[in-house]
Amino acid sequence: MTAKLSQRNSVIAADTARLPAEQGSSRNSDVSALVSDPKSSSTRKLVVTNLSKSFGSTVILKDISFEIEEGEFVCFLGPSGCGKTTLLLCLAGLESPDSGEIYKNGQVITMAPPSQRDVGIVFQSYALFPNLSVYDNIAFGLVNLKWAKDKIREAVGGLVSLLSLEGHENKYASQLSGGQQQRVALARALAVSPSLLLLDEPLSALDAQVRTRLRGEIRDLQQRLKITTVMVTHDQEEAQTLADRIVLMNAGRIEQIGTPWQIYNEPATPFVADFMGVSNLIQGVVSAQDEVACDHFALRCNTQDHPVGTKVQLLLRPEDIALVAPTNMPEHSSVNLLQAIIVKIEYLGAVVRAHVVSATGLTLKVDISKRDFDPALHGVSQALGLTIQTNDIRLFVQ
């Protein structure tokens, strides 16, 4: 057993020996202002205020603040190295912040040990005990709590049934598939009935089909048990599928907090726009009311009363750009219209992505639904028109 696995299993042992306890915003400075008195609401489950953490001279977390309501499923999302796993470990009590506070049910738990936090955690590696059977792994925390054997048998049996592990009770971790190991780790975390479930990229080691199936099972289970859940992931689709809200992080800071719909359709920063889904980001300058001058062309959009001369970036989602045949271009003269040539086609299943270059040299990605795709019209080297509705263009001030 590796030292890392041994350390994590020791944490699980300490954690399970305890006695059971009873919308969109952007940028950390804005998020902090939205965090109210952590003791003001009995329904608020978890409040983090101004949390910071460094390892030596490397800053990992910078003034992190957010709230999580009881029964919510929240995903910490961001690229590798953004601080999301360190933040999760601070919530679990496995890391100590340098400053800031963590409140749970109105009580400060910032420096409390894991055994006093009433949390269950599933690690990326699952950290199952290799010398224990599935049954004994799930029962581990209950044994430490000195439950009666018949009560343990009843609780483990219920979790085995709930997580579809029937017939595997006497197997060891090495005899299980990755998906089965993930279910055992989840059952063990849930056995002690924690009020907060923490998941550290539990699906990242699985293949795509198993990952898709299990994330649906995790969401169904969370909704059935109504347990507050925080999950770390770098997978945008995973976060959008599972989360009630997403905390999107970058370089130790929160870029935006919001529902999956808000994060995708109302990104607060160019980073959010580019990280979530596919984007076309164009540099420009406000040239008139509701008009932005780009390189050798202009686009009409809502300039939000920004003065002429303001440098901006424009976001155009590939699905918001329409391709029209040259013969139909006069019908679209009332909207943004560019002439372009298709230089590459990608077949992505439900959509076909066309890479186009406009007459002004602008390179864009355009998504065409499988229903609307016409090989004769949308082939490489075909000349077409691009139309973009003004309301589909989002503007960021640089």
Side-chain angles (χ1 to χ4, degrees):
M1 182 187 300
T2 65
K4 189 174 184 181
L5 181 59
S6 177
Q7 180 188 23
R8 287 183 170 181
N9 280 337
S10 297
V11 168
I12 293 169
D15 184 39
T16 52
R18 69 184 186 279
L19 293 175
E22 23 190 278
Q23 294 295 33
S25 57
S26 65
R27 282 298 183 188
N28 248 66
S29 57
D30 300 327
V31 174
S32 299
L34 294 174
V35 177
S36 53
D37 181 356
K39 297 183 180 181
S40 65
S41 173
S42 60
T43 62
R44 186 172 302 124
K45 201 67 178 178
L46 190 68
V47 177
V48 173
T49 59
N50 310 114
L51 209 69
S52 295
K53 175 69 177 177
S54 297
F55 292 113
S57 60
T58 304
V59 179
I60 306 299
L61 299 174
K62 306 173 185 177
D63 197 30
I64 298 290
S65 297
F66 60 87
E67 300 176 2
I68 296 177
E69 300 296 332
E70 185 172 7
E72 260 196 307
F73 196 126
V74 171
C75 281
F76 294 164
L77 175 66
S80 297
C82 71
K84 56 188 184 293
T85 295
T86 300
L87 179 56
L88 188 84
L89 295 178
C90 287
L91 298 183
L94 305 181
E95 288 288 355
S96 299
D98 299 328
S99 61
E101 298 290 359
I102 303 172
Y103 298 85
K104 191 164 177 283
N105 296 329
Q107 302 299 313
V108 178
I109 62 166
T110 312
M111 296 300 175
S115 58
Q116 296 179 12
R117 297 195 181 210
D118 192 26
V119 301
I121 186 165
V122 177
F123 294 106
Q124 185 175 352
S125 64
Y126 311 139
L128 298 178
F129 296 103
N131 60 320
L132 297 182
S133 66
V134 167
Y135 181 97
D136 290 334
N137 262 284
I138 298 173
F140 185 81
L142 304 179
V143 172
N144 283 346
L145 289 171
K146 296 180 172 54
W147 279 32
K149 288 186 178 180
D150 59 333
K151 295 294 184 182
I152 293 175
R153 192 178 304 111
E154 180 182 354
V156 173
L159 287 165
V160 164
S161 176
L162 186 65
L163 289 158
S164 302
L165 288 167
E166 297 95 334
H168 301 289
E169 294 91 333
N170 296 320
K171 293 181 180 179
Y172 293 91
S174 61
Q175 298 173 302
L176 303 175
S177 68
Q180 290 166 344
Q181 290 182 40
Q182 192 265 358
R183 289 190 181 97
V184 175
L186 191 56
R188 182 180 60 187
L190 293 171
V192 291
S193 302
S195 61
L196 176 63
L197 179 63
L198 305 176
L199 307 174
D200 182 16
E201 302 204 54
L203 306 178
S204 62
L206 304 175
D207 63 59
Q209 286 188 332
V210 175
R211 189 164 62 243
T212 299
R213 184 176 73 251
L214 286 180
R215 73 187 182 202
E217 293 179 7
I218 288 175
R219 181 56 168 160
D220 291 343
L221 182 66
Q222 186 268 340
Q223 291 183 316
R224 192 183 317 171
L225 299 178
K226 295 179 170 52
I227 183 171
T228 307
T229 302
V230 178
M231 177 173 167
V232 164
T233 181
H234 61 271
D235 187 309
Q236 297 96 321
E237 183 177 333
E238 198 167 275
Q240 289 176 302
T241 302
L242 288 169
D244 295 312
R245 287 190 302 150
I246 295 170
V247 177
L248 184 52
M249 299 178 64
N250 179 39
R253 295 186 180 275
I254 294 177
E255 290 275 341
Q256 186 172 358
I257 300 175
T259 65
W261 193 95
Q262 289 170 327
I263 296 290
Y264 185 82
N265 293 287
E266 300 173 357
T269 67
F271 173 84
V272 176
D274 201 36
F275 189 81
M276 294 299 293
V278 180
S279 61
N280 298 293
L281 289 170
I282 304 170
Q283 307 291 328
V285 177
V286 175
S287 54
Q289 179 69 35
D290 294 336
E291 182 179 273
V292 173
C294 303
D295 192 12
H296 304 301
F297 67 97
L299 290 174
R300 293 190 293 277
C301 63
N302 181 5
T303 55
Q304 306 167 10
D305 297 324
H306 292 301
V308 172
T310 302
K311 293 183 178 180
V312 297
Q313 275 187 303
L314 302 180
L315 167 64
L316 286 67
R317 293 289 190 192
E319 66 270 21
D320 291 331
I321 304 173
L323 295 177
V324 296
T327 54
N328 296 330
M329 287 172 58
E331 302 174 15
H332 299 274
S333 58
S334 60
V335 298
N336 293 303
L337 179 63
L338 300 173
Q339 296 182 10
I341 294 176
I342 297 175
V343 295
K344 181 182 177 182
I345 290 289
E346 293 179 318
Y347 299 96
L348 305 177
V351 299
V352 178
R353 181 161 297 147
H355 295 251
V356 304
V357 177
S358 74
T360 59
L362 178 66
T363 300
L364 296 170
K365 295 178 283 287
V366 182
D367 283 353
I368 311 164
S369 69
K370 184 173 67 174
R371 182 187 301 274
D372 294 332
F373 178 70
D374 181 350
L377 179 63
H378 302 132
V380 173
S381 300
Q382 286 281 3
L384 295 166
L386 307 178
T387 64
I388 308 130
Q389 299 293 331
T390 57
N391 291 336
D392 290 331
I393 300 176
R394 189 164 182 86
L395 180 146
F396 304 105
V397 176
Q398 292 185 321

